[in-house]
Amino acid sequence: MKKKLWISVIAIAACVVIGFVAAVLIPILTHQNGGASGYTETTAEGARLVAKGDDGRTRTLEARDSSGELLDVTRIRPGEKIVVRGSGYNPDIGIYVSFCRIPEAEGAKFTPCLGEVPASEEEAEAQNSEGGEGSSAWITNDFVWRVFATGQFQPDGSFEAHLIIPESSGNGVDCRKEQCGLVTRADHTASGDRIQDMAIPLQFTE
């Protein structure tokens, strides 16, 4: 009897593990790229960007300082707290919000980045707690990953993230010498998809 019980427990555990792995891998392996977001550096007007993508969505991205005014993109100061808001995004595709180098090649991935996404559930919870802003955010509605994320999309594809501007250099990029920006890009579940790419060019002060 005990042997049969253990076999049943092991079988159930195996099914749970297989189900979890399938829930993680299937969306990644079956994802189809949505095309381009319509973003170019010239579409940004200061700290606000509007672009219509190949998927028909009109995305907006903006950054405001602690007083609620649009961020002065010509004088970016490390340590300053900002609020990032977006709308029109596809809520089925998670995004990273960070400060990254904007490559010269059109359609290339925004990388490397100054900020890192939370590496664990504990880090995500700390960043979400009062006063726990970080230099990047992870927005996703995926039920497998959202427990680790720093925020979620609203049904209409809007989101809000509270960030702290990081130091101007690190991770192989110096934003005083290279063009960097406040960017959004698809997360690791659709890393090759450029449909959620948006970037507000920034000028870091010395």
Side-chain angles (χ1 to χ4, degrees):
M1 181 65 70
K2 289 184 178 181
K3 184 177 181 181
K4 290 183 178 180
L5 178 61
W6 276 110
I7 292 175
S8 298
V9 170
I10 292 172
I12 292 172
C15 289
V16 170
V17 171
I18 292 172
F20 178 79
V21 171
V24 170
L25 292 181
I26 289 177
I28 296 175
L29 297 175
T30 60
H31 178 79
Q32 295 184 344
N33 292 345
S37 67
Y39 149 81
T40 66
E41 286 189 47
T42 58
T43 55
E45 296 183 2
R48 180 175 170 81
L49 172 65
V50 180
K52 186 172 183 178
D54 289 343
D55 58 356
R57 291 177 174 270
T58 298
R59 293 170 175 80
T60 66
L61 180 68
E62 69 172 34
R64 294 184 178 272
D65 60 26
S66 56
S67 67
E69 298 295 322
L70 283 172
L71 185 67
D72 182 356
V73 298
T74 65
R75 295 183 59 82
I76 298 302
R77 294 177 290 274
E80 184 176 0
K81 294 184 178 182
I82 66 171
V83 179
V84 182
R85 295 188 179 95
S87 65
Y89 283 71
N90 184 344
D92 295 329
I93 303 175
I95 60 170
Y96 296 137
V97 186
S98 191
F99 299 88
C100 306
R101 181 174 67 86
I102 300 175
E104 294 182 1
E106 184 176 349
K109 185 177 180 179
F110 300 136
T111 189
C113 300
L114 296 174
E116 298 292 344
V117 297
S120 67
E121 179 180 356
E122 289 74 18
E123 288 185 18
E125 289 179 350
Q127 187 163 314
N128 273 328
S129 64
E130 185 175 353
E133 299 98 336
S135 59
S136 64
W138 180 14
I139 311 296
T140 183
N141 287 5
D142 191 311
F143 77 96
V144 175
W145 300 109
R146 62 187 178 189
V147 68
F148 301 105
T150 50
Q152 297 179 28
F153 290 107
Q154 296 299 314
D156 63 355
S158 61
F159 71 88
E160 181 175 302
H162 295 252
L163 303 182
I164 297 176
I165 297 174
E167 293 298 321
S168 58
S169 63
N171 293 335
V173 61
D174 187 340
C175 291
R176 296 165 299 181
K177 301 177 181 179
E178 302 175 83
Q179 181 61 71
C180 296
L182 171 65
V183 313
T184 64
R185 71 183 194 200
D187 66 14
H188 63 280
T189 65
S191 60
D193 197 343
R194 306 273 63 86
I195 196 64
Q196 303 272 59
D197 281 8
M198 296 279 276
I200 296 174
L202 304 174
Q203 296 178 30
F204 279 77
T205 57
E206 293 292 335

